Amino acid sequence: MDSIKESNDIKELGFGDHICYLYDDFDRYRKFSINYIIKGLLNNEKVLCVIDKYPKDILIEDLSNNNIDVECFIELGQLVIVSNRNVYSRNSGFEPAETMDYWKRELKNIEKESFSGLRTIGEMDFALDGTLDTIGKLMEYELRSNTELLPLYDKALYSCVFNKSKFPDFVLADMVKKHNVVINDGKIIKPNPYFIAPKRQLQIFDEKKCMKKQFSFDINKSYNQLNSYNNKNNIDINILKYVLKTTGDGVWEWSNSENGIYLNYSFYKMLGYRKKDNLMKYEDFLRLVHSEDSRKFIDIVNRCYMNQTDSFNCEVRLKKKNGEWVWVYIKGVPIRRDPGTGKMIKMVGIFDNITEYKNTKMELLTILETTADAILVVNNNRKVIHFNQKLVDMWKLPEDLLEEKSDKKLVEYVKSLTNSPDDFSLSIQEAIDNNIDRVDILKLIDGRVIERSYKPFLVNGKNKCGVFSFRDITDQKKSKKLEQKVLIKQKELEKVKKYEKLKTEFFSTISHELKTPLNVILGTTQLLDSIQKEAQRNEVEKIDKYIKIMKQNCYRLLRLINNLIDINKLDSGFLKLDLKNYNIVEVIENICLSVVEYVKSKKINIVFDTEVEEKIMALDADKIERVILNLLSNAVKFTGENGEITINIYDKGENIIISVKDTGIGIPQDMLEKIFTRFKQVNSSLSKKSEGSGIGLSLVKSIVKLHGGEIEVRSEFEKGSEFIIKLPVTKIENKLTHQDEIAIASETNVERIHIEFSDIYS
Ligand code: ADP
């Protein structure tokens, strides 16, 4: 530093001043120091610099630059530059009494060395070692400087240097009160209006309580500043932060030397005492602890004391003034130990009233124990936090399993009881990972069915733990199954009832149908009888006619009985196809040819047309014949005079299509679906000219189905109908005897036509 330009009027400073120098600009502090030191040297004062932040070599250089023969002053013993370590923070830590002795020795030397006085400058950064202990000692030390040092020698001047950005406010505030001169940002404040007279200081700040007082006054304010501490001792900083942050709840400090516990105001308030913060003997404290909790409390105190643990952590009941019990959570950290034995010298901590929490916990536990479900609570690390007796009973958990509080063995055990063990562990992990509610069913080997539900516990949006609840729903499941069975049986019963009704209806129709032709036959035989009695030759024609009527009605009965037999066979599954390879075109054409004569008498034109002449395929010729005859008889039945019936065969390769089309009365749209249902007739009045039972088409459909085919109907009311049969073309190996088969079929055709056409009056 070349020249001193700072205009600090340090002339104002003199013996008897105890200066609090506050800075946050190092250069300003540097300039002040040089001025301050030079002034002392020129005044024949002994100048003692206890510095570290201002490096010794730079100070020497700065002084030399200001024409000071530094070497000479040092040799004379007038200028002493030492480190903090030599004065304040010695090996065993800062002890105010030791430092006081150091100064006292120096003051005595000055008298011998014939200096005009003593001028000191000392950086106080050493107090920032992160412990409240040292800060407390600094406060004590400054107080003693005022009361013990200054009055001792009236030719002394002390300057204590504080870096404002590093010291907490409460320390700075205290320092301001304890120095009669303050220099803040280079500005000298003399006299210092905030200075408290040493006597008063002594009154207020009892040496032993100095630090503790600060606890309850300025700590919270200072917390943020502490964050900026640039200190090596991080552990202590954390302890300090912890203690400071939690002062709202209550602070305690245990000191070996005092064999007592300092407890602040909120402790006494919690127990219902009016007392302010005070020291309580350890024995007295123990008397407050509930007898059931005292063992664990003493145990943890001893372990902390003997350096077996550094974490003091317990929940105890303390007796209130009114005799009630209050649950208190006590946490602490040893902050000083004997370097030799490791025994605890000092411990600080907090306490908290957790009565409400404990009561709630008790209530919850009671609820858990009285619920019908088995409950298991696990945390994120899959550790069992809680379970109830129901869980033990439900899973018949062995005792050793319960002692280990890891859910792994528990899961393994429970898994072994389930039917699908892999699903079990998978779903438990899934539930925890996905952090969602879920419900699933576990089936146990012993036949029980357990409903498991999982609900995560969210703390601040994070999954902390989850609750599994298990409910035995075996009985519930059983009754549900039974219910289902009853339902099925009921449906079956309804079906049977419906069928019974249908059967009754069917029999009443059939008996009516059987009666009609029988009555006709009966009537005709009576007629024949009377004719025979008065037989005349010319009545042969009449007899012929009646025999014909009888024949036709016999055919009708035969047809009806045939259909009934077939329906019965169909129902019982006995209607089987006798499949042989035929030329289907020939089969159909033969049927058509055979009815031509019959149809002619009805004045209806019949046309047969085909796309192919031959299509060999496997079919039951008898049954196909009945199908076609049935369709043709219907067509004739419902087609008036001069109508036309067209039979077409289309070859679609894999299928053959047979169409029977008429120009008759047609079928109303709403009946199209129904005519294939048994006993359905469109309208009896429409089919007045002919008879029918409504079995024909249902049989037709069944036969077509047996052949693997389909049948459909298209019709326009009063214009005509078309029945379309689609049959798949299949063949039977080594049975190419179709010629013979067709010949046999055509022989029986006439009889069959009579039967199938018997419903139509001739
Ligand atoms: P049914 O023995 O009474 O003829 P079907 O099962 O053969 O019984 O026919 C059922 C009903 O379908 C008939 O009663 C009739 O109302 C109607 N039906 C069948 N074929 C035709 C057709 N070609 N034209 C008009 N109506 C028809």
Side-chain angles (χ1 to χ4, degrees):
M1 192 143 295
D2 302 351
S3 55
I4 308 153
K5 290 193 181 99
E6 185 74 16
S7 64
N8 284 325
D9 200 0
I10 49 173
K11 275 178 234 158
E12 270 186 59
L13 304 172
F15 293 135
D17 283 349
H18 185 203
I19 304 158
C20 174
Y21 187 84
L22 304 170
Y23 80 94
D24 49 19
D25 175 355
F26 179 73
D27 276 340
R28 177 175 273 160
Y29 156 54
R30 195 170 154 188
K31 282 168 197 163
F32 163 79
S33 307
I34 294 161
N35 274 321
Y36 179 83
I37 294 165
I38 292 174
K39 190 172 179 223
L41 292 174
L42 298 179
N43 209 21
N44 194 31
E45 290 163 23
K46 178 166 183 177
V47 181
L48 228 161
C49 309
V50 188
I51 55 163
D52 276 309
K53 285 277 164 297
Y54 196 175
K56 187 177 175 180
D57 46 353
I58 296 191
L59 176 62
I60 293 171
E61 203 186 317
D62 285 346
L63 290 170
S64 307
N65 287 339
N66 283 284
N67 304 319
I68 300 293
D69 191 348
V70 182
E71 261 186 61
C72 173
F73 281 115
I74 290 175
E75 237 176 78
L76 280 171
Q78 192 181 345
L79 178 63
V80 179
I81 306 173
V82 288
S83 160
N84 264 321
R85 286 187 304 276
N86 300 74
V87 182
Y88 302 108
S89 48
R90 314 219 168 178
N91 289 343
S92 57
F94 173 53
E95 278 307 332
E98 270 180 44
T99 311
M100 297 302 287
D101 287 340
Y102 172 84
W103 290 123
K104 281 175 191 164
R105 275 199 307 277
E106 281 300 327
L107 287 170
K108 272 189 187 146
N109 286 342
I110 285 157
E111 282 173 21
K112 287 183 219 156
E113 288 161 357
S114 70
F115 290 118
S116 63
L118 175 69
R119 181 178 287 246
T120 76
I121 181 159
E123 289 175 0
M124 310 312 272
D125 283 15
F126 73 90
L128 297 172
D129 65 356
T131 65
L132 275 183
D133 198 29
T134 312
I135 282 176
K137 282 176 178 169
L138 171 72
M139 293 166 176
E140 179 191 339
Y141 166 72
E142 291 294 3
L143 176 73
R144 287 171 73 166
S145 301
N146 284 327
T147 52
E148 289 175 42
L149 279 182
L150 282 171
L152 209 82
Y153 191 63
D154 59 0
K155 284 186 177 164
L157 168 66
Y158 301 88
S159 186
C160 305
V161 179
F162 299 92
N163 184 340
K164 277 202 290 189
S165 63
K166 289 194 173 172
F167 275 88
D169 280 346
F170 75 91
V171 181
L172 297 175
D174 187 73
M175 292 302 115
V176 168
K177 288 175 202 163
K178 287 175 178 163
H179 292 78
N180 56 6
V181 178
V182 176
I183 303 177
N184 187 28
D185 293 332
K187 227 174 106 188
I188 297 173
I189 305 162
K190 184 183 172 179
N192 167 20
Y194 302 105
F195 179 65
I196 297 171
K199 262 194 178 173
R200 176 90 182 109
Q201 276 184 41
L202 265 176
Q203 260 178 337
I204 301 169
F205 302 103
D206 174 273
E207 274 180 32
K208 286 179 183 170
K209 289 182 191 164
C210 161
M211 181 189 93
K212 298 157 196 166
K213 285 275 180 193
Q214 292 307 329
F215 254 114
S216 39
F217 291 135
D218 302 302
I219 278 167
N220 284 335
K221 265 190 269 161
S222 309
Y223 171 69
N224 288 338
Q225 284 208 332
L226 277 168
N227 280 336
S228 62
Y229 270 22
N230 192 7
N231 207 292
K232 289 171 226 145
N233 203 338
N234 280 329
I235 301 161
D236 275 357
I237 283 272
N238 287 335
I239 296 162
L240 196 58
K241 274 184 195 172
Y242 182 69
V243 174
L244 295 176
K245 202 173 176 179
T246 49
T247 45
D249 297 324
V251 189
W252 59 270
E253 184 195 317
W254 178 87
S255 175
N256 195 17
S257 57
E258 288 160 330
N259 188 29
I261 308 160
Y262 157 77
L263 295 150
N264 76 350
Y265 172 65
S266 53
F267 178 82
Y268 292 99
K269 197 178 157 201
M270 180 175 74
L271 296 188
Y273 293 98
R274 284 205 145 196
K275 227 168 166 185
K276 290 271 167 73
D277 44 4
N278 213 335
L279 199 72
M280 186 188 281
K281 280 207 167 118
Y282 181 60
E283 299 78 46
D284 292 340
F285 187 88
L286 270 185
R287 262 179 227 120
L288 295 174
V289 179
H290 195 287
S291 57
E292 283 174 26
D293 306 327
S294 60
R295 243 190 79 187
K296 68 173 176 194
F297 178 75
I298 292 167
D299 180 60
I300 189 146
V301 168
N302 286 342
R303 285 198 296 123
C304 261
Y305 183 74
M306 299 308 292
N307 202 8
Q308 285 164 359
T309 177
D310 254 354
S311 128
F312 186 91
N313 223 329
C314 67
E315 292 176 4
V316 291
R317 273 160 288 180
L318 298 180
K319 198 173 199 155
K320 281 172 77 170
K321 195 183 171 189
N322 62 8
E324 285 174 10
W325 293 100
V326 52
W327 270 105
V328 182
Y329 171 66
I330 307 173
K331 193 180 167 80
V333 191
I335 55 167
R336 269 177 86 196
R337 289 195 181 278
D338 186 297
T341 61
K343 279 186 185 163
M344 192 167 69
I345 294 172
K346 201 164 253 195
M347 174 152 78
V348 290
I350 55 115
F351 54 83
D352 198 2
N353 184 344
I354 54 162
T355 314
E356 209 173 310
Y357 155 77
K358 276 277 177 185
N359 288 344
T360 317
K361 197 173 169 185
M362 278 306 291
E363 276 168 27
L364 279 174
L365 288 182
T366 316
I367 292 169
L368 281 181
E369 284 307 330
T370 48
T371 171
D373 296 341
I375 307 278
L376 174 71
V377 187
V378 290
N379 71 5
N380 254 6
N381 301 324
R382 306 278 308 266
K383 243 195 155 49
V384 175
I385 294 171
H386 191 78
F387 57 85
N388 62 359
Q389 188 56 37
K390 290 265 165 31
L391 188 92
V392 180
D393 299 343
M394 175 181 281
W395 298 105
K396 297 178 187 75
L397 297 178
E399 256 179 49
D400 58 323
L401 209 72
L402 296 172
E403 277 157 23
E404 257 185 75
K405 287 232 160 173
S406 149
D407 89 327
K408 280 210 178 92
K409 279 201 175 161
L410 198 79
V411 167
E412 284 309 312
Y413 176 79
V414 173
K415 253 168 81 172
S416 69
L417 304 177
T418 63
N419 268 337
S420 46
D422 290 342
D423 286 359
F424 181 85
S425 49
L426 205 76
S427 55
I428 200 172
Q429 191 61 56
E430 246 177 73
I432 292 172
D433 290 349
N434 297 339
N435 203 16
I436 41 162
D437 296 15
R438 63 178 290 160
V439 179
D440 54 12
I441 304 290
L442 303 173
K443 286 185 179 160
L444 305 196
I445 295 167
D446 65 11
R448 280 183 297 164
V449 184
I450 306 287
E451 183 185 83
R452 174 180 59 177
S453 59
Y454 172 78
K455 206 169 177 56
F457 247 105
L458 291 180
V459 183
N460 296 333
K462 278 185 185 166
N463 185 7
K464 280 279 158 137
C465 48
V467 182
F468 285 95
S469 71
F470 304 87
R471 182 175 295 179
D472 191 334
I473 55 163
T474 319
D475 292 343
Q476 226 171 301
K477 279 265 153 174
K478 270 187 192 158
S479 64
K480 222 177 198 165
K481 259 190 189 165
L482 221 70
E483 257 172 46
Q484 275 172 343
K485 265 189 186 166
V486 169
L487 221 79
I488 292 168
K489 288 277 172 211
Q490 261 174 354
K491 274 187 184 162
E492 277 173 7
L493 199 75
E494 265 164 37
K495 253 189 189 170
V496 170
K497 272 186 188 167
K498 230 178 178 177
Y499 190 71
E500 279 299 312
K501 200 179 156 211
L502 223 72
K503 235 166 136 184
T504 332
E505 274 174 14
F506 173 70
F507 279 113
S508 77
T509 318
I510 291 304
S511 40
H512 170 78
E513 290 303 315
L514 286 169
K515 257 184 184 166
T516 320
L518 266 178
N519 281 334
V520 177
I521 295 168
L522 210 68
T524 323
T525 47
Q526 278 168 356
L527 275 169
L528 276 177
D529 225 24
S530 62
I531 290 169
Q532 211 178 19
K533 276 176 192 161
E534 36 183 284
Q536 285 173 27
R537 281 239 170 111
N538 57 351
E539 279 172 328
V540 174
E541 221 176 275
K542 258 189 185 171
I543 294 172
D544 242 18
K545 184 189 163 194
Y546 292 131
I547 287 176
K548 221 176 165 188
I549 292 172
M550 277 169 65
K551 235 184 174 175
Q552 191 196 2
N553 280 282
C554 283
Y555 283 136
R556 282 186 62 202
L557 281 172
L558 204 61
R559 179 183 185 242
L560 195 63
I561 289 160
N562 275 348
N563 281 351
L564 280 174
I565 290 168
D566 283 349
I567 274 189
N568 209 34
K569 273 188 186 169
L570 255 177
D571 285 352
S572 49
F574 288 123
L575 191 75
K576 293 270 151 56
L577 294 181
D578 179 20
L579 290 176
K580 282 170 190 165
N581 291 331
Y582 292 97
N583 177 4
I584 184 145
V585 181
E586 208 176 330
V587 172
I588 308 286
E589 194 173 6
N590 278 349
I591 300 165
C592 292
L593 284 173
S594 63
V595 298
V596 166
E597 278 307 307
Y598 201 93
V599 174
K600 247 186 195 167
S601 66
K602 296 271 156 196
K603 292 194 178 129
I604 293 169
N605 191 24
I606 186 158
V607 180
F608 175 80
D609 199 5
T610 176
E611 271 187 357
V612 282
E613 283 309 317
E614 189 181 77
K615 189 83 183 175
I616 307 293
M617 60 186 275
L619 51 91
D620 184 329
D622 265 16
K623 305 241 162 41
I624 290 294
E625 206 176 79
R626 281 190 57 193
V627 166
I628 304 297
L629 281 177
N630 200 301
L631 293 180
L632 286 175
S633 93
N634 275 344
V636 173
K637 236 196 264 182
F638 300 105
T639 304
E641 281 186 5
N642 303 321
E644 191 172 83
I645 298 169
T646 322
I647 300 107
N648 268 305
I649 300 179
Y650 305 100
D651 182 9
K652 298 281 174 213
E654 285 180 1
N655 293 301
I656 201 98
I657 309 284
I658 306 154
S659 150
V660 179
K661 199 173 173 181
D662 63 58
T663 54
I665 59 168
I667 304 161
Q669 210 62 26
D670 60 322
M671 287 305 287
L672 283 178
E673 282 288 307
K674 294 173 187 161
I675 54 164
F676 294 105
T677 319
R678 226 176 266 179
F679 321 131
K680 277 280 175 212
Q681 288 168 309
V682 173
N683 187 343
S684 47
S685 69
L686 284 175
S687 50
K688 249 197 279 178
K689 284 187 209 153
S690 24
E691 298 281 336
S693 58
I695 323 177
L697 282 180
S698 92
L699 210 61
V700 162
K701 190 174 181 176
S702 300
I703 293 171
V704 170
K705 260 188 163 176
L706 276 175
H707 278 86
E710 293 161 14
I711 180 164
E712 60 169 304
V713 60
R714 291 173 194 163
S715 181
E716 219 176 308
F717 193 52
E718 288 177 340
K719 287 207 170 144
S721 317
E722 182 183 12
F723 287 82
I724 301 156
I725 297 169
K726 184 167 126 188
L727 291 175
V729 177
T730 53
K731 272 180 200 170
I732 285 177
E733 297 291 324
N734 303 326
K735 278 198 173 180
L736 290 164
T737 51
H738 52 280
Q739 286 284 350
D740 297 354
E741 295 286 345
I742 291 164
I744 294 163
S746 43
E747 266 174 32
T748 54
N749 252 348
V750 182
E751 188 73 1
R752 277 174 186 254
I753 296 159
H754 284 310
I755 295 171
E756 290 300 337
F757 280 62
S758 59
D759 280 348
I760 304 158
Y761 300 134
S762 47

